[in-house]
Amino acid sequence: MAQHYPILHYTSQDGLSQLQVMTTFRDSRNYLWIGTKYGFCKFDGERFERFAPNGKTIGNIVRKFAEDKKGYLYIESNNVISRFDGKCFIPLKQDKQPYVDICIDKTNQLFCLNTATGELYTAFQDSLVAAKWPSLQHKRLSRLVYDSPKQVLIANIDSLGLVEITPERLTPVAKVLQNTSATDSWLRARGGKTVIHRHFGGKSEQFLTEFGSDNWQPFLQIINHKWEVLRLIEFDWLFTFEGKTYLLEAKSQKVTRVLPNEFNHNTVTYSTHGTWVGTEKGLVFIVENGIKYFPENEVPYAWSVVEDAQKRMWFLNYLQPIQQFDGNQIKTVSGYAEKMISQLKAAKNPNIATSQDGWYYAALRDKLGHLWLPNSSGAVWHDGQKWELLLRPTAARKTSIAFGMLEDADRNVVLQGGEEVVHIFDNKPPFRTTSLDQTNGMNIKPNVLAMALEKTGVYWFGGSKMLSRYDSKKEKWTEYSVDNQKLGGRGIFDLKFDSKGTLWLATFTKGLCYLDSRRDTVRCLPAPELNEPAYAILPINDDFLFIGSLRNLYILDLKKWYASRKVELRCFNHHNGFVAIEPGQNGFYRDSKGQIWLTGGAALSVIDPQKINFKPERLRTYITKLNGQRLPFSQFLADSTFTLPFDEGNVRLEFESVGEDKPFVSQYSYLVEGVTDEWSAWQEEPVATLVHLASGAYTVRVKSRTGGTGMTKSQEAVIRFSIRVWPWNSPYFPYYASVAIIGLLAIGGVIYWNNQKQVRREMRTAREQAEKAAKTEQMVKVLEVQTAQAQMHPHFIFNVLNTLQGLVYKQETARANEHIVKLGELMRNYLSASLSLDGTRESLERGMITLEQEIKLLQMYVDFEQLQYRDRFEVFIEVQPSLSPDFYRIPPLLIQPFVENAIKHGVLGDLSRKGHVWIRFWLDTDEALVCEVEDDGIGRKAAEQKRRNAYQTHRSEGTNLVKNRVKLLNELGFYIDIHTIDLPERGTHVIIRMNDRL
């Protein structure tokens, strides 16, 4: 029993033309051509393209392919040989005889055999003609092949066996091989080595190769239903035995069955990454990239792997018995379960599991050669003879589960990561133990899942939300956690140091992370591909790092990352040979031979770093179709320019990305030179559609990559084509039409302008006359406002003088003088405002006074009235705190008449009680200035009735003058609104609104 090679199996459901594969061939463009019993197909590593038989250029059964130096592909099918340039098939003219074994020599000459006559034929001017070589007279050929390394034609001649043939002579391959009872076939092994397959009839056969110059010896023979390796060879060799396919490994007698089913293989094609095998049940690719595996039916579910002192591999299967592999067979290990149960019972452990195979991660062999196996009951120690379960319960935990092990060889100790605890054991009995937990500063909860050794006595521990460094000599802890913002990723599954001392972390939430020692914080690698759970990491050498993630196995180029911080990844998954599906937690292990073992969800993988190709394959990109029509192969496109039919301005390009190492679906990007400045966004659809192209010559470049890793690049494919379309179908037609229309409009505009020039002149004259009339009218209105304002001020002065007259009668000379001074100040302010009026609207605005001045005027007036009517009324002036009185300007003496009415005709109308007047200033929501004058007097109706009954020496016109003045101001564009409300019980409420335009 040995490791299995990964295989990829393709059938007609995947795109094959038919299930029975007769031949395979890889051409210079890296396409794989597959001949079947129903036509053939082309495979680019991702998609199949079928070519069905048509009876003229493609027969039903395709037996062989060949390619000449120019890039033409020749297809041999029943009754027809055709040449294909990627676009057209051209059948070679021939008679109705069957022709087989096409091959092309170093001079680019095609040869084949006429099976009816056994003659050698060659191609001449697209026709098959007899070669007529003198050396072949009276000779019948049965097989023909061209040996490229030796650059000779080799045929099987009935009487001579395998012979090198030229026009002049025949040279037997080796005289010792001549055996008329056998049938020989000339085959080619990997690396160009020649193998002769000799059939003796029945079940006997031999495989021979050269061991030194012209020293042909058998290395494998099959006799009497048994195979036997006779000699070691330098190359791998595939052979069929009783319907099954086997691989004889190079430099070994080890023979491995490589195909799981009974596939009789008909053809073999070798490639860089493996071997293509055409079988009766489809196309099979045997992946030979350095990764092999044990399937689940052989190794059920390995969670940990370790090598013992005898170089045997131990597989710790979860809930399955331990297995041991000696390189040839797997056997089950026994004896440990009984010992574990005995110790658990002795310790009076109440939780003895029914199975003792609860194995965990990171088993190890210490420097003494003893095994330390992590188990759900604790660490299990084995020295090759004895078993010991190291039970270390704590006060907090009755169990001592071991999630993983770590050795510090210089200190002769082994560490066990557990539940909120790390046990440090001496590496030999009696296993003295030191425990790290909360009592001495270890704060990782709930489980210590990963451990790493920085240097002797310095350890790193990883848990769910914390990474901790512990220096045992200094007994010092350093914590990196989510809480202190030094740890971005949660769920640390693995910790490894590389050769430069960088600590790498496999985390659940952020994938691959590393400790940035300069910033002293854990940072995540800037790669979208790695932004998924990472379970295991392992430095392969100084230059590369393995990463086992949720879906893939990655290789990080450390050398490039350290040089430029550029992330370059190589990926393996089920598309290119990594079948484990999901790598195991902390699942890497390197054995003494340098092989790397990796546990996984579906298989146990074995990786040979010597055979791994660390650099990704360079893809090849080809443009295959233009507007649905096939294009010739790339060799014929280099200097070609395609002309599209007239008035065809839309272009559809189809392309392919060729390569067999594709872990992801191919993506494409293209650039149209001179049209787009940047490459298009990456897309999976292998199509570019360009619409509404203008007449001209175009060059389109296309490149590809596999998936979004950025690690695989391709050369650019280039196509040139020219387009001629009607001007109105051009995308620039709107611009051309716009220019023409603008020109016409310009001419029309000049004519129109000349015609309208006279009209504008006449309109300007009329407008000037109208403006002059409007200004005259406006001046009249302003003078009317001035007249109204002039009428108001004598009214106010008359009222004030009445008050002063009363003071004089009462002989209150001092107070009369004081108020005469105030009156003089008021008259000066009034004259200042009045003198600014010059008949224009602007002079009205200059004649406004501030609200602060208006309030001062009101206060002076109230003071005058209170002199005359002492203790008969009170006036309250209230200004909203947010209102700035010095900011707002209003017409002078606009509010005073309403205050006068409130006093004279309101509160003084009832001499039996003391009256009140409230004057409030505030801003409304629309920023309008509002003044309210409210009194608790007798009201307007009672005042009017009282006025009618009383004898009047003077009629008050203050409010009427204000209303007339407001009307004139509103006609000039100002906004003043006066609204009077009769209060329900008594009194009057006047609301004056003024827009801030004033």
Side-chain angles (χ1 to χ4, degrees), residues 796 821-822 825-826 828-829 849-864 877 879 885 890 893 895-896 919 921:
F796 170 71
V821 172
K822 289 183 179 180
E825 183 179 353
L826 285 177
R828 184 167 57 253
N829 289 337
I849 64 173
T850 64
L851 178 61
E852 183 178 24
Q853 292 174 311
E854 180 74 6
I855 293 173
K856 188 174 181 181
L857 185 150
L858 289 175
Q859 187 63 57
M860 290 181 180
Y861 168 73
V862 169
D863 291 344
F864 284 131
I877 300 177
V879 181
I890 64 174
L893 294 175
I895 301 169
Q896 184 272 336
I919 307 171
F921 296 92

Side-chain angles (χ1 to χ4, degrees), residues 473-488:
K473 295 180 181 179
K474 299 179 181 179
E475 296 185 353
K476 178 183 178 182
W477 290 90
T478 305
E479 295 181 346
Y480 303 79
S481 67
V482 176
D483 294 336
N484 64 20
Q485 298 182 348
K486 288 189 174 185
L487 179 65

Side-chain angles (χ1 to χ4, degrees), residues 265-325:
H265 74 267
N266 303 317
T267 178
V268 173
T269 297
Y270 299 100
S271 72
T272 304
H273 302 281
T275 303
W276 293 96
V277 182
T279 77
E280 291 292 311
K281 297 183 179 180
L283 177 67
V284 175
F285 183 53
I286 303 171
V287 184
E288 299 171 73
N289 58 4
I291 303 176
K292 299 180 182 179
Y293 72 99
F294 288 94
E296 288 181 293
N297 62 337
E298 295 178 7
V299 179
Y301 195 12
W303 276 29
S304 189
V305 175
V306 66
E307 183 182 26
D308 66 15
Q310 289 73 40
K311 311 301 182 185
R312 297 171 300 190
M313 302 306 300
W314 291 55
F315 307 147
L316 277 61
N317 298 300
Y318 186 68
L319 300 182
Q320 298 286 338
I322 299 175
Q323 292 176 303
Q324 190 182 86
F325 177 59

Side-chain angles (χ1 to χ4, degrees), residues 519-578:
R519 295 182 175 86
D520 194 33
T521 186
V522 175
R523 305 185 68 187
C524 301
L525 211 65
E529 306 81 35
L530 298 178
N531 194 18
E532 65 179 17
Y535 297 115
I537 46 179
L538 179 72
I540 309 170
N541 48 41
D542 293 346
D543 297 333
F544 297 99
L545 176 74
F546 265 139
I547 306 127
S549 73
L550 178 64
R551 299 176 180 86
N552 308 291
L553 173 64
Y554 289 103
I555 299 176
L556 172 66
D557 190 329
L558 287 175
K559 188 175 182 181
K560 184 163 290 186
W561 186 80
Y562 277 117
S564 62
R565 284 301 190 264
K566 180 180 179 181
V567 177
E568 183 171 291
L569 297 169
R570 174 89 160 89
C571 179
F572 297 93
N573 55 29
H574 63 285
H575 292 295
N576 60 348
F578 179 65

Side-chain angles (χ1 to χ4, degrees), residues 75-317:
I75 303 102
E76 173 196 316
S77 56
N78 52 333
N79 301 323
V80 63
I81 295 175
S82 297
R83 184 178 68 241
F84 182 47
D85 66 355
K87 180 179 181 181
C88 302
F89 291 91
I90 299 176
L92 301 185
K93 296 177 182 179
Q94 60 191 68
D95 53 30
K96 295 184 179 180
Q97 299 292 334
Y99 294 87
V100 297
D101 292 345
I102 60 171
C103 56
I104 299 173
D105 71 1
K106 64 179 181 179
T107 65
N108 217 33
Q109 186 68 35
L110 181 139
F111 294 93
C112 61
L113 290 182
N114 184 322
T115 58
T117 64
E119 291 181 272
L120 179 69
Y121 272 65
T122 186
F124 179 73
Q125 295 183 350
D126 291 341
S127 298
L128 293 179
V129 296
K132 301 297 183 181
W133 285 2
S135 63
L136 297 177
Q137 289 184 5
H138 311 298
K139 298 294 190 295
R140 184 180 181 87
L141 285 64
S142 59
R143 285 180 176 83
L144 180 69
V145 65
Y146 180 72
D147 189 281
S148 298
K150 295 179 179 293
Q151 296 186 346
V152 294
L153 279 172
I154 296 176
N156 195 311
I157 300 177
D158 292 345
S159 59
L160 300 176
L162 289 174
V163 178
E164 296 179 5
I165 63 174
T166 65
E168 294 79 19
R169 66 177 181 272
L170 306 178
T171 305
V173 172
K175 293 181 180 179
V176 71
L177 292 177
Q178 306 313 314
N179 190 326
T180 56
S181 64
T183 302
D184 294 336
S185 300
W186 189 269
L187 305 176
R188 183 64 60 190
R190 182 182 293 278
K193 196 70 174 178
T194 303
V195 173
I196 296 176
H197 186 196
R198 172 167 287 179
H199 295 262
F200 293 96
K203 298 294 184 180
S204 299
E205 50 188 307
Q206 282 185 340
F207 296 90
L208 306 94
T209 190
E210 283 186 293
F211 293 87
S213 177
D214 206 27
N215 179 22
W216 291 84
Q217 298 294 335
F219 63 88
L220 176 68
Q221 69 179 12
I222 299 173
I223 300 176
N224 298 325
H225 304 285
K226 294 182 180 180
W227 51 262
E228 180 182 3
V229 178
L230 303 177
R231 292 174 177 82
L232 299 183
I233 54 177
E234 297 294 322
F235 52 87
D236 293 342
W237 182 249
L238 278 175
F239 66 95
T240 298
F241 175 66
E242 296 184 347
K244 302 177 180 65
T245 301
Y246 293 85
L247 175 68
L248 172 61
E249 296 185 9
K251 301 178 182 180
S252 171
Q253 291 192 341
K254 182 180 293 185
V255 176
T256 305
R257 182 180 173 185
V258 292
L259 302 185
N261 301 317
E262 295 185 1
F263 293 170
N264 285 313
H265 74 267
N266 303 317
T267 178
V268 173
T269 297
Y270 299 100
S271 72
T272 304
H273 302 281
T275 303
W276 293 96
V277 182
T279 77
E280 291 292 311
K281 297 183 179 180
L283 177 67
V284 175
F285 183 53
I286 303 171
V287 184
E288 299 171 73
N289 58 4
I291 303 176
K292 299 180 182 179
Y293 72 99
F294 288 94
E296 288 181 293
N297 62 337
E298 295 178 7
V299 179
Y301 195 12
W303 276 29
S304 189
V305 175
V306 66
E307 183 182 26
D308 66 15
Q310 289 73 40
K311 311 301 182 185
R312 297 171 300 190
M313 302 306 300
W314 291 55
F315 307 147
L316 277 61
N317 298 300

Side-chain angles (χ1 to χ4, degrees), residues 847-851 854 888-892 894-895 929 994 998:
M848 302 298 170
I849 64 173
T850 64
L851 178 61
E854 180 74 6
Y888 289 88
R889 298 175 65 83
I890 64 174
L894 181 67
I895 301 169
L929 177 64
M994 293 164 280
L998 294 175

Side-chain angles (χ1 to χ4, degrees), residues 54 184 325 392 398 497 501 555 586 651 693 731 734 812 823 841 856 885 920 958 960 978 983 993:
N54 54 25
D184 294 336
F325 177 59
R392 296 296 184 271
K398 294 183 179 180
F497 282 97
I555 299 176
N586 208 337
V651 172
L693 296 178
E812 295 182 13
L823 177 62
R841 185 185 188 283
K856 188 174 181 181
R920 306 183 186 94
N960 291 331
I978 301 173
L983 297 179
R993 291 176 56 86

Side-chain angles (χ1 to χ4, degrees), residues 435-483:
S435 297
L436 303 176
D437 54 21
Q438 285 185 326
T439 60
N440 45 29
M442 210 283 290
N443 292 319
I444 293 181
K445 298 178 181 180
N447 305 319
V448 179
L449 299 176
M451 300 183 290
L453 176 67
E454 178 182 336
K455 58 184 179 180
T456 302
V458 179
Y459 314 113
W460 290 79
F461 307 117
S464 176
K465 298 180 181 180
M466 182 177 291
L467 173 70
S468 294
R469 180 182 185 270
Y470 177 64
D471 189 330
S472 61
K473 295 180 181 179
K474 299 179 181 179
E475 296 185 353
K476 178 183 178 182
W477 290 90
T478 305
E479 295 181 346
Y480 303 79
S481 67
V482 176
D483 294 336

